Amino acid sequence: MFSSRATILFVCFWLSAAKASSFYDNPEQDPLPPEDSPEDLYKKWDFETSIIFVYPPKCTGVFHFTHSNLIPIPFLNPYPQPLTPPSLPQGARFGPRAIRAASARQIPFRSFNPRRGLNPYTTLFTILDCGDMPLTPFDNALALHQMTSAYQTLNSRSPAVTHPSWPYPKLLSLGGDHSIALAALRSLHKIYGQPIAVVHFDAHLDTWHPAKYPSAWQSAQSDFTHGSMFWIASNEGLILNGSSAHAGLRTRLSGDGWEDWEDDERQGFLRITADEIDDFGPSGVVERILERVGTEVPVYLSLDIDVLDPGICPGTGTPEPGGWTSREVIRILRGLESLNVVGADIVEVAPAYDGAGEQTALVAAQVGYEILTSIVGRGLKEMGKEPGGGTGTVENLGRKRDEL
C-alpha cells in the first residue's frame, strides 16, 4: 500500500508535469500556415467521406475552400464528428448526417421565413456545407488539436462580403459531441482577441470540474468531456465572465449541496431553469438573457438538443425529463435575434436513440434554420440591406411580423 504522503507527492508530481505540457494547451497556429500547400491540406483533411444533403452542396471538405479566394464564405457549416465514442455506431457520431437528411426540405425556393421577412438562402450571404471535420475517435488529445486547428483555419478566411460587422466567417456546427465548443471558443478568442460570451441551451451545466466525474484512473485526457468543456474554457479565459447564460437547466447536482452552482457562478453564468418558463414564459427567458448578455459583445450560441424534452427529442445520449418543447425553444431563439452571434452549434443529436419519425434530427434542422435566419437578418440590418426598408418588418407584404 502507498502511504498517504507518497500518494500526495505522486499527485503533485503528476499535476506539475501536466501543467508543464498539458494536452489542454491551445495549439499555436497562425492563420493559413505558409508551409501548408493545398496538397498538404488535402492530405490532412480530405479523407473523411461526407453525405451531403444540405442545399447547396458547394463543398465537401476543408480543402475545397481553405485556399480559394474565389468562393464567398461569409457563412460556413462544418458538421464535426463527435469526440468520445470509442467505436463507429455509438453516441452522436452520425448526428451530422441525420441533421443533413432532415434539412433536405430547406431549399431556396421554399425557405422564406415569415417571422423575419427573409429567405436566409437567397440573400447576399453564401451558406456552405463544408463537410465533416475528420477527427480521430481514439485519442482525445489529438482530436482536440484537430478540431482547434480546423476551426482556426476556417475562421481565418476573409468573407467575400466586406463590412466592419463581418470581419470573419460565422460557423454553425451541427451534430456531434458537445466538447467541440472548447475548440470553437479557442478559435473565436484568438481571432477576436477577447473573451466570448456564451448563451448555452442545455439540460446540464457543462461547467463541471473534471473531478466531478470521479475515476480511479484519472488522466488529462479523461478530464476533457462533454460536461467539462466550459469549465476548461472558463479557466483558459475564453468565456466572458458575467455576461454568459444557461437556459433550460434541470440537471441533478453532484454530492449533497450547492457546490456545482457555486462553481458555475464563479465562472460567471446566469442560470435559467426549465421550470422558470412556466413563471415568465418565453419572452421572460429572452428578456433575462438579453439583459445579461447585451447585443454588442461577441456571442457563441450553443444548443444541446437535450434542452428539449425527451418526449419530443429522444435522440440524445443524456435525456432529462421535464424539458422545453420545440415551439418554446424556437420562439426563444427568435427573440434572441439581436444577439451578436459570431459562432454557434447544435449538438448531441444521437440518431441511434431517435424515434421512427427521426423527430430529433428534424427539430435540430429547424433550429439551425432559425439560427441562420437570425444571423443573416442581423447582418443585413447592419449593412442597411434588410428587407422591408431596414425596419425588420414585412408590411410591404401586408403581413404582421411574428413577435413574442
Side-chain angles (χ1 to χ4, degrees), residues 95 98-103 305 313 315 349 351 354 358-366:
I99 299 172
R100 284 192 180 98
S103 69
I305 204 67
C313 289
V349 175
D354 211 353
E358 300 177 341
Q359 60 268 38
T360 307
L362 183 64
V363 170
Q366 181 65 28

Side-chain angles (χ1 to χ4, degrees), residues 4-316:
S4 299
R5 182 172 179 271
T7 303
I8 292 172
L9 288 174
F10 173 76
V11 171
C12 291
F13 172 78
W14 182 86
L15 288 175
S16 63
K19 184 177 181 180
S21 179
S22 172
F23 106 104
Y24 295 145
D25 290 345
N26 193 351
E28 291 297 329
Q29 176 186 340
D30 293 328
L32 297 180
E35 67 272 17
D36 278 356
S37 66
E39 291 75 17
D40 293 330
L41 289 170
Y42 187 89
K43 291 176 182 178
K44 284 184 178 180
W45 300 109
D46 206 54
F47 62 82
E48 180 73 2
T49 57
S50 302
I51 300 176
I52 307 294
F53 291 102
V54 171
Y55 187 94
K58 294 211 174 176
C59 62
T60 57
V62 176
F63 166 74
H64 292 277
F65 58 84
T66 50
H67 274 258
S68 171
N69 295 322
L70 301 178
I71 301 176
I73 323 172
F75 275 115
L76 300 171
N77 293 337
Y79 297 81
Q81 296 285 40
L83 187 59
T84 51
S87 59
L88 193 63
Q90 294 184 356
R93 176 172 298 279
F94 295 119
R97 296 182 180 182
I99 299 172
R100 284 192 180 98
S103 69
R105 293 173 61 240
Q106 295 184 28
I107 48 182
F109 69 81
R110 197 174 181 180
S111 288
F112 182 82
N113 196 325
R115 65 94 177 174
R116 194 60 180 82
L118 62 87
N119 183 334
Y121 302 117
T122 59
T123 70
L124 56 87
F125 298 113
T126 300
I127 297 175
L128 302 176
D129 179 350
C130 298
D132 294 342
M133 287 182 186
L135 306 176
T136 175
F138 306 112
D139 185 334
N140 274 11
L142 176 57
L144 177 58
H145 184 89
Q146 287 177 308
M147 288 189 295
T148 305
S149 299
Y151 271 113
Q152 185 65 13
T153 301
L154 293 168
N155 277 319
S156 297
R157 307 316 305 153
S158 298
V161 180
T162 303
H163 191 271
S165 64
W166 284 81
Y168 306 103
K170 300 197 176 185
L171 310 184
L172 172 60
S173 306
L174 306 182
D177 194 280
H178 207 164
S179 55
I180 63 170
L182 176 58
L185 286 168
R186 284 178 169 179
S187 176
L188 291 171
H189 181 269
K190 184 172 291 187
I191 65 172
Y192 283 94
Q194 67 181 87
I196 307 298
V198 173
V199 175
H200 176 220
F201 288 81
D202 203 317
H204 311 94
L205 291 169
D206 291 355
T207 55
W208 278 295
H209 188 289
K212 296 294 184 177
Y213 294 86
S215 173
W217 299 91
Q218 201 78 16
S219 71
Q221 290 203 36
S222 67
D223 285 350
F224 174 49
T225 72
H226 65 176
S228 64
M229 71 285 178
F230 286 138
W231 181 90
I232 298 171
S234 294
N235 281 272
E236 290 183 1
L238 310 179
I239 297 178
L240 188 59
N241 193 306
S243 295
S244 297
H246 303 293
L249 294 173
R250 55 193 186 279
T251 183
R252 293 172 296 279
L253 303 180
S254 306
D256 300 313
W258 306 97
E259 290 82 4
D260 288 348
W261 279 15
E262 292 167 358
D263 196 19
D264 185 70
E265 288 167 1
R266 283 191 291 270
Q267 297 174 55
F269 278 85
L270 167 73
R271 291 185 303 277
I272 301 173
T273 67
D275 291 344
E276 289 180 279
I277 202 169
D278 297 327
D279 299 327
F280 42 72
S283 60
V285 175
V286 170
E287 180 182 348
R288 283 158 177 77
I289 292 175
L290 291 178
E291 181 180 354
R292 179 74 166 191
V293 179
T295 59
E296 299 303 322
V297 299
V299 173
Y300 186 74
L301 177 62
S302 184
L303 190 142
D304 188 322
I305 204 67
D306 69 25
V307 73
L308 289 105
D309 190 85
I312 297 170
C313 289
T316 189

